[in-house]
Amino acid sequence: MRRTASPLSLIMLGFGTFLLVLAPLLVWYVHPRAAVNPIDIDTTAVYNGRGSVFDLDRVETVSDQAITVTQRVRGNVEASVDSGNAVWDVITTVDTEKSLPAADPHDALDFSPHRWVLDRETTKPVHCCEETPRIEGEAYLKFPFDVQKRSYQWWDNTLGDTVVMRYQGTEKVQGYTGYRFTASVPATKTGTRLVPGSLVDEPDRPQVLAEEWYSNHGLELVVDQATGRVIYAQTGPRRTLRAPGGDEDATVLLDAEKLAFTTGTQKEAVRQAKRDSGQLRLLGEVLPVGALVAGFALAVTGGILVARGRKEEERPGLSGTAQ
């Protein structure tokens, strides 16, 4: 009897070839399309700390107050689909114990709504879709995917400009390792505001167009390397008023050396970073390597069995021999 290649060897050869083709597709096609910023994002980050705030009822700055900053980010799905970008609406509120809990965020000590439009793959700002303000730089709210060990231009919305976040090594947050970046902001004029003259040491003038100044004691961010998600954030804002052309602060509106992610915000950010980076690692590393190894083994084994079956088929049979 003559033997031919078995169906099993052909299946092994075909499936092995399929896996060898699949491996580079996962790396070069599937993985890049998985590493995109979502359009249906809905997250809330809360910062806590203590500092000085301007009390509107007492018309003076009050020190050693508990301060809570809440940042809510929601994706505008309709605008995102129409534009092809990620359109995120951001509301940031600053509260003291007096204004919390607040049924309406407009009742906060400070209420700041704005819209950020970003490229879904690169995270670079896109200027469309009623973006306010005009955000620039390489990162804001999150870093690009595949964060590198270098400095990044980070948008500071209070400053209205970018600051340089410098890489400072790695740091663990809730047991999870990320890249640490830091920066500081020197005192900078950011605008003007019409206020009573008494607030800027000019009591004889009922209204003065005072200068608004902003500085930051220190910005610190810890970022997930794969996704660019911020898993820890710390900021030290100082906002003041000065008389027109003045060299010194006349009134402190807000001054806190450290406002940082609460433990709950850290844990949730780490949970999402682990989930998303795990999915990216699965598509970009684990599955391609597994497909490559398994495909090579199956293709080689199947090819050997097919070749052996063909050699048996081509070998002359024994004629005239009684069976």
Side-chain angles (χ1 to χ4, degrees):
M1 295 180 61
R2 293 182 297 175
R3 297 170 54 195
T4 60
S6 67
L8 178 60
S9 63
L10 294 175
I11 292 173
M12 292 176 65
L13 178 60
F15 189 59
T17 303
F18 167 75
L19 291 177
L20 290 174
V21 174
L22 178 64
L25 284 177
L26 289 171
V27 174
W28 297 326
Y29 185 83
V30 178
H31 179 266
R33 283 158 179 77
V36 294
N37 293 301
I39 62 175
D40 58 348
I41 187 174
D42 189 349
T43 64
T44 300
V46 181
Y47 301 69
N48 278 346
R50 303 192 71 85
S52 301
V53 297
F54 187 79
D55 190 310
L56 293 175
D57 295 329
R58 298 167 58 175
V59 196
E60 64 178 2
T61 302
V62 182
S63 61
D64 195 29
Q65 298 294 297
I67 300 173
T68 300
V69 177
T70 306
Q71 190 174 65
R72 179 76 179 268
V73 183
R74 276 185 169 177
N76 188 315
V77 176
E78 183 178 356
S80 299
V81 171
D82 290 343
S83 68
N85 302 297
V87 181
W88 293 357
D89 292 320
V90 187
I91 294 179
T92 304
T93 57
V94 180
D95 289 280
T96 60
E97 292 179 339
K98 183 184 293 187
S99 60
L100 284 177
D104 188 338
H106 292 82
D107 297 333
L109 179 68
D110 186 74
F111 173 81
S112 175
H114 56 284
R115 170 172 286 187
W116 183 35
V117 185
L118 59 151
D119 185 281
R120 297 193 65 192
E121 295 181 2
T122 66
T123 314
K124 291 182 178 180
V126 178
H127 306 301
C128 74
C129 315
E130 301 179 359
E131 169 210 23
T132 54
R134 184 183 174 89
I135 294 174
E136 301 290 354
E138 299 174 280
Y140 173 55
L141 301 181
K142 74 176 295 291
F143 278 61
F145 293 93
D146 189 24
V147 181
Q148 304 298 303
K149 298 178 180 180
R150 64 172 178 86
S151 296
Y152 282 84
Q153 293 287 335
W154 174 268
W155 176 261
D156 186 323
N157 203 54
T158 305
L159 179 65
D161 202 351
T162 59
V163 296
V164 179
M165 299 296 300
R166 292 180 170 82
Y167 175 73
Q168 301 290 352
T170 62
E171 185 168 314
K172 284 192 174 183
V173 176
Q174 302 296 323
Y176 187 76
T177 302
Y179 285 3
R180 179 173 176 263
F181 296 85
T182 62
S184 61
V185 181
T188 306
K189 181 182 174 181
T190 57
T192 57
R193 179 188 298 191
L194 193 64
V195 301
S198 59
L199 292 183
V200 289
D201 300 327
E202 295 189 9
D204 297 334
R205 301 176 62 183
Q207 298 287 324
V208 175
L209 194 62
E211 298 177 356
E212 292 183 316
W213 285 71
Y214 164 74
S215 61
N216 201 299
H217 299 288
L219 287 162
E220 179 180 343
L221 303 172
V222 182
V223 183
D224 176 45
Q225 189 277 328
T227 64
R229 179 183 294 276
V230 176
I231 58 177
Y232 176 82
Q234 175 182 315
T235 182
R238 177 179 171 85
R239 296 169 57 192
T240 62
L241 295 177
R242 295 184 184 183
D247 296 328
E248 297 182 357
D249 297 331
T251 297
V252 174
L253 301 177
L254 173 67
D255 188 13
E257 289 194 5
K258 179 182 177 181
L259 299 174
F261 270 7
T262 63
T263 300
T265 297
Q266 293 176 39
K267 289 182 177 179
E268 177 60 17
V270 167
R271 184 192 69 81
Q272 295 183 22
K274 284 182 177 179
R275 179 198 64 194
D276 295 344
S277 62
Q279 292 174 352
L280 292 178
R281 190 175 299 110
L282 182 67
L283 292 173
E285 298 177 17
V286 178
L287 288 180
V289 172
L292 189 63
V293 172
F296 180 79
L298 288 173
V300 169
T301 303
I304 291 173
L305 292 177
V306 168
R308 184 177 298 172
R310 288 178 177 173
K311 286 181 179 180
E312 291 292 336
E313 186 179 38
E314 294 171 358
R315 184 179 302 168
L318 297 177
S319 59
T321 303
Q323 299 294 324

